[in-house]
C-alpha cells in the first residue's frame, strides 16, 4: 500500500514539474529581490528606474497585497491583521495545494495559474512569519498617481496567477470537462468489460468441473455394468451345473 502511494506520488511529480518549477522560481526570485532591496536601500528610500513610470520605493507593509487591509485593522489591530493573514495564507496554500493535485489531468494553464498563486503566497508568508511585515518596493506611477500602491514580485505572481486562472475557465475549462468525462466513461466501460470477462471465466470453470463430474459418473456406471454383465468362464459354468444337479 505504501509503495503504491509513493509510486503515484513519483508519477505525479514527474508530470507536474512545470508548475512545481514555477512555484520554486517565483518564491526564490521574490525572496532574493526583497533581500537585495533590504540590503541596498534604506526604509522609504525611492529610486527612479523609468522616470514618470517605474520606481523602487522600499517600505514595510503590515497589511495585505498592495497595502490594503480591507478595514480589518479596526477589528483585529495591526498585529492581529498580520496573524490573520498568516493563518489565511496557510489555509489558502493547503487548499491550492489540494487543487494542484486535483487539476493534475487538466490543461497546463490551470496548473501554472495555481503554481503562480502558491509561489506568490509562499513568498509573502515567509516575510510575515519571519519579519511580521512584507517587504514591498515596486511602484508604478501614471500621471503622478500610483494606481497599484507599492508591491513586490510575489504580488505580481498572485495577480498573474488569478488572470491565468480566469483565462483557463474561459478557454479551456469546458474542453477539460468533456475530456475528463470521456476518460471516466472509458474507464467504467473497461471495468465492466473486465467484470464480464471474469464472470465468463468463472462460468467456464464451473462448466468444466460439472463436465468432469458427469464424465466421472458415467465412468463409474460403465464400470458397474461391465462387472455385472461379465460372461461366465468354463469353471464357473461347471460349478453352476454341479449346484443345479445337487438341487
Amino acid at each position: 500500500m505504501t509503495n503504491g502511494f509513493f509510486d503515484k506520488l513519483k508519477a505525479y511529480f514527474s508530470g507536474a514539474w512545470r508548475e512545481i518549477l514555477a512555484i520554486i522560481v517565483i518564491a526564490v526570485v521574490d525572496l532574493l529581490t526583497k533581500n537585495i532591496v533590504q540590503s541596498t536601500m534604506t526604509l522609504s528610500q525611492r529610486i527612479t528606474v523609468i522616470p514618470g513610470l517605474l520606481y523602487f520605493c522600499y517600505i514595510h507593509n503590515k497589511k495585505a497585497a498592495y497595502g490594503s487591509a480591507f478595514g480589518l485593522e479596526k477589528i483585529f489591530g495591526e498585529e492581529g491583521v498580520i496573524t490573520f493573514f498568516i493563518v489565511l495564507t496557510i489555509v489558502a496554500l493547503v487548499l491550492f495545494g489540494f487543487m494542484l493535485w486535483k487539476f493534475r489531468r487538466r490543461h497546463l494553464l490551470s496548473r501554472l495559474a495555481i503554481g503562480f498563486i502558491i509561489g506568490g503566497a509562499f513568498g509573502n508568508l515567509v516575510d510575515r512569519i519571519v519579519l511580521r511585515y512584507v517587504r514591498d518596493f515596486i511602484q508604478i506611477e501614471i500621471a503622478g498617481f500610483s494606481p497599484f500602491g507599492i508591491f513586490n514580485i510575489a504580488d505580481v505572481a498572485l495577480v498573474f496567477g488569478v488572470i491565468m486562472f480566469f483565462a483557463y475557465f474561459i478557454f479551456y475549462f469546458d474542453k477539460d470537462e468533456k475530456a475528463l468525462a470521456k476518460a471516466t466513461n472509458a474507464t467504467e466501460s473497461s471495468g465492466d468489460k473486465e467484470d464480464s470477462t471474469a464472470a465468463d471465466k468463472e462460468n467456464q470453470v464451473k462448466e468444466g468441473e460439472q463436465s468432469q463430474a458427469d464424465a466421472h459418473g458415467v465412468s463409474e456406471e460403465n464400470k458397474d455394468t461391465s462387472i455385472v454383465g461379465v460372461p461366465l468362464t468354463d469353471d464357473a459354468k461347471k460349478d453352476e451345473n454341479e449346484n443345479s444337479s445337487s438341487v
Side-chain angles (χ1 to χ4, degrees), residues 192-208:
D192 293 341
K193 190 174 181 180
E194 289 178 359
D195 292 340
S196 176
T197 302
D200 291 342
K201 288 182 178 179
E202 185 177 353
N203 291 333
Q204 289 176 0
V205 170
K206 289 181 178 179
E207 290 175 359

Side-chain angles (χ1 to χ4, degrees), residues 80-242:
V81 168
I82 295 172
T83 302
F84 172 80
F85 282 118
I86 288 174
V87 174
L88 183 65
T89 303
I90 292 173
V91 172
L93 285 173
V94 172
L95 291 176
F96 277 105
F98 177 72
M99 284 183 63
L100 196 61
W101 167 261
K102 294 292 289 184
F103 276 51
R104 64 190 182 278
R105 293 189 180 90
R106 292 182 178 268
H107 194 275
L108 177 62
L109 183 62
S110 68
R111 307 197 309 269
L112 285 178
I114 297 173
F116 271 58
I117 293 172
I118 292 176
F122 181 80
N124 283 340
L125 177 64
V126 171
D127 270 20
R128 287 194 176 97
I129 292 176
V130 176
L131 304 172
R132 301 296 292 179
Y133 57 80
V134 176
R135 296 166 289 180
D136 288 340
F137 60 92
I138 304 172
Q139 183 180 23
I140 295 176
E141 193 173 277
I142 301 174
F145 176 67
S146 298
F148 310 112
I150 300 174
F151 53 95
N152 55 39
I153 299 298
D155 298 331
V156 174
L158 286 166
V159 171
F160 270 94
V162 172
I163 292 173
M164 287 191 293
F165 214 66
F166 274 111
Y168 163 74
F169 274 96
I170 293 172
F171 297 107
Y172 297 106
F173 180 76
D174 289 339
K175 295 179 181 178
D176 275 357
E177 286 293 298
K178 292 177 181 177
L180 289 171
K182 185 177 180 181
T184 301
N185 292 334
T187 302
E188 291 177 352
S189 176
S190 176
D192 293 341
K193 190 174 181 180
E194 289 178 359
D195 292 340
S196 176
T197 302
D200 291 342
K201 288 182 178 179
E202 185 177 353
N203 291 333
Q204 289 176 0
V205 170
K206 289 181 178 179
E207 290 175 359
E209 292 176 350
Q210 185 63 41
S211 298
Q212 290 179 356
D214 294 342
H216 182 70
V218 171
S219 176
E220 290 294 328
E221 290 177 1
N222 291 338
K223 183 177 180 182
D224 294 341
T225 304
S226 62
I227 292 174
V228 173
V230 64
L232 296 175
T233 61
D234 293 338
D235 293 336
K237 288 180 180 180
K238 184 177 180 181
D239 292 337
E240 186 177 359
N241 291 332
E242 290 178 353

Side-chain angles (χ1 to χ4, degrees), residues 33-34 37-38 41-47 55-68 124 127 131-139 148-152 155:
T33 53
K34 288 173 179 175
V37 169
Q38 184 179 25
M41 296 178 66
T42 58
L43 191 63
S44 300
Q45 181 182 356
R46 194 169 189 255
I47 297 174
Y55 301 88
F56 286 165
C57 183
Y58 179 44
I59 65 168
H60 292 169
N61 178 14
K62 295 185 178 181
K63 299 179 180 180
Y66 301 96
S68 175
N124 283 340
D127 270 20
L131 304 172
R132 301 296 292 179
Y133 57 80
V134 176
R135 296 166 289 180
D136 288 340
F137 60 92
I138 304 172
Q139 183 180 23
F148 310 112
I150 300 174
F151 53 95
N152 55 39
D155 298 331

